[in-house]
Amino acid sequence: MKEIIKMIDEEAINSRILKLADKINKDYKDEELLIIPVLKGGVMFASDLIKNLKMPITLDFIITSSYKDKTVSSGNVEIIKWVDEDITGKNILLVDDIIDTGRTLLHLKEKLIIEQPKSIALCTLLDKPERREVAIDSDYVGFTIENEFVVGYGLDYNKQCRNLPYIGKVKKIGSIK
Ligand code: IMP
Ligand code: MG
């Protein structure tokens, strides 16, 4: 197992999530919101976030795969599961662990827009702006981080480490690019 250096602890994550939830509560007031976590990475963030949302919500999921066991995005977004709900006319909040190159969320957003939702916003726990390859930004960002590969709190390295309650960086990723 690689050494993990703690970067953002549980307490900081929890208090930041409360602030994000406050902002989302204010922005949507009592309007209904369809929350769509992007799995698997967005699972922990989304479940902690929605506990603090006050408007009526419905929940659906999208499952994607893009990393194929590497620490550099392949750029291809494979959709393994799409939404079940009818999204036309709905306010959508797409929730993911991180916005990195931006390719995943741009692809999903463009695909969702085809079905004419009322609104669509992106919420990510992390943002790595230096890595952006396409023109998209997250509307609600927990933490902006440097260009480093991070794990924990839903984020994985070779399918491992998603269960860590904090965000850390992997030391000595060696020959893996
Ligand atoms: P994208 O490059 O913005 O399309 O990000 C695609 C996906 O790559 C994210 O949803 C994450 O699941 C994953 N990802 C990006 N950066 C990291 C990282 O530092 N650690 C773990 N997963 C990452
Ligand atoms: Mg992901």
Side-chain angles (χ1 to χ4, degrees), residues 38-42 64 66 96-98 104:
V38 182
L39 302 186
K40 300 164 186 158
T64 62
S66 64
D96 206 353
D97 49 4
I98 189 166
T104 305

Side-chain angles (χ1 to χ4, degrees), residues 67 96-98 100-104 128 148-150 155-156:
Y67 263 52
D96 206 353
D97 49 4
I98 189 166
D100 184 33
T101 65
R103 291 187 184 280
T104 305
K128 267 196 245 180
E148 279 170 321
F149 194 80
V150 292
L155 294 124
D156 74 308

Side-chain angles (χ1 to χ4, degrees), residues 8-18 20 24 41-46 48-49 94-100 105 122-128 138-145 150-155 164-168:
I8 308 172
D9 67 17
E10 259 183 286
E11 212 186 325
I13 294 172
N14 291 339
S15 69
R16 186 70 190 117
I17 286 177
L18 290 180
L20 281 179
I24 296 166
V43 67
M44 218 184 279
F45 174 45
D48 284 344
L49 180 76
L94 198 55
V95 182
D96 206 353
D97 49 4
I98 189 166
I99 181 160
D100 184 33
L105 289 174
L122 308 180
C123 177
T124 58
L125 180 69
L126 304 174
D127 182 4
K128 267 196 245 180
S138 180
D139 302 281
Y140 301 97
V141 173
F143 302 91
T144 299
I145 62 166
V150 292
V151 294
Y153 201 75
L155 294 124
L164 297 176
Y166 55 85
I167 302 284

